[in-house]
Amino acid sequence: MKKIYTIILIATLGLFLTGCDHYLDVNKNVDAPDEEQVMDYHYLPGVEQWMGNIYWDIRATGPLSQMFGTTSYTGFANNYAYSSADAAGEMWRLNYWLLGKNLENLINFAVEHERWTMAGIGYILKAHSWDATTKEYGEMPLQQAYEPGRLSHDYDYQDLIYDSIRTWAQRGIDYLERDDATVYGGIWSEYENVYKGNKTKWIQFGHGIICRNLASLSRKSDFVSTYANDLIAHGKLAMQTNADNYLIPTLGGGADARYNSYNNFWGVHRANLSLSYYQSDYIVKIMTGTVPLYDHATGDIVKTSKDDHMSEYYPYALNPNQIICDTLYDEVGHFDPRIAAKLAPRASDTYTNDPNNYVDIDNEDSVKHARRYYGGSLFNSRTGYQGWNAPSVYGRNAYGSTAVDGIGRWIFRNDAPVIVMTAGEIQFEMAEAYFIMGDKANALACWKKGIELDMEFTKSYLVPGAPKLKDGTTDEYVTGGANPGGDFISTRLFQKLADEYIAGPFVAGITTSTLTLSHIMMQKYVHLWPWGAAEAWVDLRKYHYDIDYSGDYPTLGNGWEKDYLNQKWDEDATKVYKGFYLAPAQVEGRKSPGYWDTDNEGSPAYRIAPRYNSEFMWNRPALAALKPIPGLIPDGKGGLVYKNYHISIPWFAYPGDYPETVHY
């Protein structure tokens, strides 16, 4: 309290010792500047780095998309039921507060002073933020968002928000394409951390935002006539190589870093994933070619009587239609090396000849046959179908131990960048659009290019580990490699196997007559794992999780009942994500309702409720006014209570406009 009183006293004395005509100029100094004194570039580094917080909400969208399982955000792993907390509220906070007026001030200053390059960057960053946020939460206050003096804000619907996003991105592109007489000098090298002021790359990113935004509308009934051609046009102008990717750099440094936040949010040092978030059974199954065969009569996995070296690994029959790869690893081109880079293998009981001790990581036979990959089959448990636990994503069954895992591996390193958008993603979005338009030749070409870019992208983050002998002379190994830490495949072997895979039956062997939406969307899913979980969740929702329904969209009694959800069988040609099942669906391992809130009325989650501390405390009437499902409903006692807004299907997933009412 003494300190507070001192500050008040000094401020009061200042008023008396300053002429009455000048006391309002108290902020005209470098220590307490007003908005007019802050240059646009002063906002830029903070805005760019704050964008890295998009990883925070992947703790929710990762489980919702079945990219991750979790023992932490378990509600999101089981269809999600809202609770009055700010879990998964980071994008809302990022958009309105961290970026918010900071980004508005950057844009306004730049436009006022005709600093067109800076203005263009600002509008593109704004478009990206709103695109990511509305896809997570749906409706948002837009037109009244920054009106001074307001304590509540009306919500705008997603069709308007989507139009605004594309308008802002295009305005940013237009500003960047203007002649700019401003001499920025060293501003780009000092303040702009991503593209260093490279206008060409910023323009590509702007086109990428529009392409990504339009891709979420691919299930609209007017997609081909209204959106598809624009998507293709912007996709062709977006990033084309991995050198164009939008990546937010991370300094790393572990415990030696000046600030803990200099380390990757997913890195070993910060250990935010630990064993609380782990690779899902779904990503493991599709990337190892072990999607099981189900008995349609019982829903149980079809067991087999085989007795070979793989019996322990997958003691069941395999679905004959594996999209990513199969288990015929002895045949050239059947093994997808991305699994050895992206996912973590199970550690053995001993470190001798253990891939987790970096032994034989350049040996093809060892990488193909000696590894075992497991994911958590239950959404809130690490335990898989065969009783094995999913390992730590850091790779060595450690809880984020720097002594064991060093600086980490792949994009889980301390210094790995935050991945925001890639050229590979753009190619898959164009492939989907071409496919829906009926242009199979261009769809196939974009799809193949997307896979090639993902191989290159995946390889670029490999830092192979090395074995460490116990005493320098024997063949006994100790915990920790020469790094310690690192990846479990050499770059040489990865490239060899990648070339073979691309030339093999799962890529080169696909033709215009055999290409399906499953090929496009499941390869996109693999590419997005796990950095693009939010966009993967967009895709799953627009395809309605492959729920079996009739008409325009699923609802109670048409796709699900209160305690049962009916999904398409993998053999259904219209099913996009082969092997994907929610709970409680009809197959083994998914039959139990588990964490299923009765207010869901059987529906899976379609959005995350807005941030509690701003909306449910201060903006309650606006939430109550939303349609077709309100954010709050009358409690019969004159108040408002939350029910099930999170099952409200977002506008982008309806074939047309919102219905007036829905049966829930």
Side-chain angles (χ1 to χ4, degrees):
M1 292 296 293
K2 182 178 180 180
K3 181 177 181 181
I4 295 174
Y5 288 142
T6 302
I7 293 172
I8 293 173
L9 177 61
I10 292 174
T12 305
L13 286 173
L15 291 178
F16 285 104
L17 296 174
T18 306
C20 61
D21 292 335
H22 303 289
Y23 78 92
L24 290 177
D25 292 338
V26 66
N27 281 335
K28 295 292 185 180
N29 66 77
V30 295
D31 296 316
D34 62 19
E35 291 178 1
E36 294 179 0
Q37 290 180 276
V38 180
M39 298 291 288
D40 45 16
Y41 60 84
H42 288 141
Y43 294 104
L44 187 56
V47 166
E48 285 186 327
Q49 290 305 122
W50 280 325
M51 280 178 61
N53 287 14
I54 60 175
Y55 274 10
W56 291 31
D57 278 0
I58 292 178
R59 293 173 296 178
T61 57
L64 283 165
S65 61
Q66 287 193 29
M67 287 195 162
F68 279 152
T70 178
T71 57
S72 178
Y73 274 26
T74 54
F76 296 96
N78 292 276
N79 297 306
Y80 172 49
Y82 172 76
S83 62
S84 57
D86 279 339
E90 183 60 25
M91 279 307 305
W92 195 276
R93 175 176 177 267
L94 174 69
N95 187 73
Y96 285 115
W97 185 46
L98 292 178
L99 271 57
K101 283 293 290 182
N102 292 304
L103 192 48
E104 295 298 305
N105 291 342
L106 183 159
I107 291 170
N108 293 338
F109 184 96
V111 171
E112 180 183 352
H113 295 85
E114 298 184 351
R115 296 160 65 87
W116 304 124
T117 303
M118 190 68 73
I121 291 172
Y123 269 113
I124 286 171
L125 290 172
K126 180 177 181 178
H128 173 268
S129 176
W130 280 81
D131 183 70
T133 307
T134 189
K135 286 173 177 174
E136 189 169 325
Y137 305 103
E139 277 57 66
M140 302 167 60
L142 186 154
Q143 297 179 88
Q144 298 178 355
Y146 302 113
E147 288 186 10
R150 278 193 168 273
L151 295 179
S152 62
H153 305 78
D154 292 340
Y155 279 69
D156 292 289
Y157 285 86
Q158 206 170 52
D159 53 350
L160 173 64
I161 297 171
Y162 263 52
D163 284 343
S164 300
I165 289 164
R166 295 194 295 274
T167 298
W168 293 329
Q170 186 60 59
R171 187 176 299 163
I173 293 167
D174 293 342
Y175 278 145
L176 283 160
E177 290 177 339
R178 283 191 185 187
D179 290 333
D180 189 346
T182 305
V183 178
Y184 290 97
I187 286 175
W188 301 129
S189 61
E190 186 173 355
Y191 290 92
E192 206 274 272
N193 296 317
V194 179
Y195 289 140
K196 300 299 182 182
N198 186 314
K199 293 174 67 170
T200 299
K201 293 188 185 296
W202 274 107
I203 290 169
Q204 289 177 319
F205 182 44
H207 286 294
I209 292 167
I210 298 175
C211 181
R212 175 189 274 184
N213 177 270
L214 293 171
S216 66
L217 304 178
S218 66
R219 296 291 285 167
K220 287 287 186 185
S221 56
D222 61 346
F223 175 72
V224 172
S225 61
T226 305
Y227 303 112
N229 287 321
D230 282 347
L231 185 156
I232 297 298
H234 287 285
K236 289 180 177 179
L237 296 171
M239 50 270 289
Q240 300 299 308
T241 72
N242 283 310
D244 305 327
N245 293 346
Y246 192 93
L247 312 171
I248 302 173
T250 304
L251 292 176
D256 295 329
R258 182 176 181 183
Y259 300 106
N260 193 47
S261 59
Y262 282 5
N263 290 288
N264 179 5
F265 182 75
W266 285 348
V268 175
H269 177 72
R270 293 178 71 176
N272 284 313
L273 297 179
S274 185
L275 284 175
S276 298
Y277 300 89
Y278 43 85
Q279 59 204 28
S280 70
D281 183 72
Y282 181 63
I283 189 66
V284 170
K285 288 287 191 288
I286 64 176
M287 290 194 69
T288 55
T290 58
V291 174
L293 185 66
Y294 295 101
D295 183 333
H296 289 206
T298 65
D300 293 340
I301 295 174
V302 177
K303 305 301 188 291
T304 68
S305 58
K306 68 177 182 176
D307 183 17
D308 57 28
H309 68 289
M310 301 301 280
S311 297
E312 175 198 18
Y313 189 27
Y314 53 93
Y316 51 80
L318 301 178
N319 193 300
N321 186 21
Q322 303 285 335
I323 298 297
I324 305 300
C325 66
D326 59 28
T327 58
L328 303 177
Y329 295 167
D330 287 329
E331 297 186 23
V332 176
H334 287 249
F335 178 80
D336 184 347
R338 289 174 296 182
I339 190 171
K342 295 189 178 191
L343 303 187
R346 175 179 64 86
S348 299
D349 296 331
T350 172
Y351 281 97
T352 304
N353 297 322
D354 188 331
N356 282 7
N357 202 40
Y358 315 112
V359 178
D360 294 330
I361 64 172
D362 194 46
N363 182 290
E364 182 171 340
D365 183 68
S366 177
V367 169
K368 284 183 176 181
H369 296 290
R371 310 286 175 85
R372 297 289 183 269
Y373 297 90
Y374 296 99
S377 64
L378 300 176
F379 305 132
N380 58 358
S381 169
R382 290 174 55 221
T383 305
Y385 283 122
Q386 291 84 266
W388 294 101
N389 288 335
S392 162
V393 296
Y394 302 120
R396 309 192 69 203
N397 260 357
Y399 290 75
S401 167
T402 55
V404 175
D405 292 301
I407 64 168
R409 68 169 191 90
W410 201 52
I411 63 172
F412 307 112
R413 293 199 323 264
N414 290 339
D415 60 350
V418 175
I419 300 154
V420 177
M421 185 181 291
T422 67
E425 178 192 345
I426 299 299
Q427 291 300 315
F428 289 121
E429 288 163 353
M430 293 175 65
E432 181 191 17
Y434 275 127
F435 187 91
I436 294 171
M437 295 167 71
D439 187 345
K440 302 294 182 63
N442 275 315
L444 183 67
C446 289
W447 175 73
K448 288 183 176 180
K449 184 176 179 181
I451 298 170
E452 292 168 1
L453 285 167
D454 187 35
M455 288 294 179
E456 181 184 71
F457 164 86
T458 303
K459 178 187 172 184
S460 69
Y461 296 106
L462 290 177
V463 180
K468 186 175 183 180
L469 294 174
K470 185 174 183 180
D471 58 11
T473 58
T474 69
D475 288 335
E476 295 183 66
Y477 297 95
V478 297
T479 301
N483 284 333
D487 293 281
F488 307 121
I489 185 171
S490 69
T491 52
R492 181 207 68 82
L493 181 57
F494 181 90
Q495 188 63 59
K496 176 182 182 294
L497 296 174
D499 292 341
E500 292 175 353
Y501 177 78
I502 290 170
F506 289 91
V507 183
I510 303 300
T511 66
T512 54
S513 62
T514 58
L515 181 69
T516 67
L517 268 176
S518 291
H519 289 101
I520 295 169
M521 302 310 297
M522 290 179 68
Q523 284 284 0
K524 180 184 179 183
Y525 185 96
V526 169
H527 174 57
L528 293 175
W529 191 88
W531 61 270
E535 281 300 308
W537 192 42
V538 169
D539 292 335
L540 285 163
R541 285 178 289 162
K542 75 183 183 186
Y543 284 105
H544 294 289
Y545 298 104
D546 280 315
I547 293 167
D548 194 3
Y549 66 94
S550 60
D552 288 339
Y553 53 89
T555 187
L556 180 63
N558 181 25
W560 59 73
E561 301 298 333
K562 290 188 176 182
D563 58 356
Y564 176 79
L565 189 146
N566 187 31
Q567 287 184 276
K568 297 175 182 177
W569 292 101
D570 292 331
E571 291 78 12
D572 188 330
T574 66
K575 181 170 183 176
V576 177
Y577 293 92
K578 308 298 186 183
F580 185 93
Y581 292 93
L582 294 170
Q586 68 266 35
V587 300
E588 182 179 345
R590 300 291 192 266
K591 294 180 181 180
S592 173
Y595 187 88
W596 186 274
D597 194 281
T598 55
D599 284 339
N600 279 32
E601 300 288 346
S603 172
Y606 273 93
R607 66 177 74 203
I608 293 172
R611 186 171 171 85
Y612 176 79
N613 272 331
S614 64
E615 304 311 295
F616 289 97
M617 290 185 68
W618 300 100
N619 214 19
R620 294 170 66 82
L623 284 166
L626 290 171
K627 297 180 179 180
I629 298 179
L632 291 168
I633 63 171
D635 63 0
K637 303 175 183 178
L640 296 170
V641 295
Y642 186 89
K643 182 175 174 61
N644 56 7
Y645 179 60
H646 57 280
I647 69 170
S648 184
I649 298 173
W651 173 80
F652 71 75
Y654 279 109
D657 291 330
Y658 279 121
E660 286 298 316
T661 59
V662 293
H663 180 54
Y664 67 91

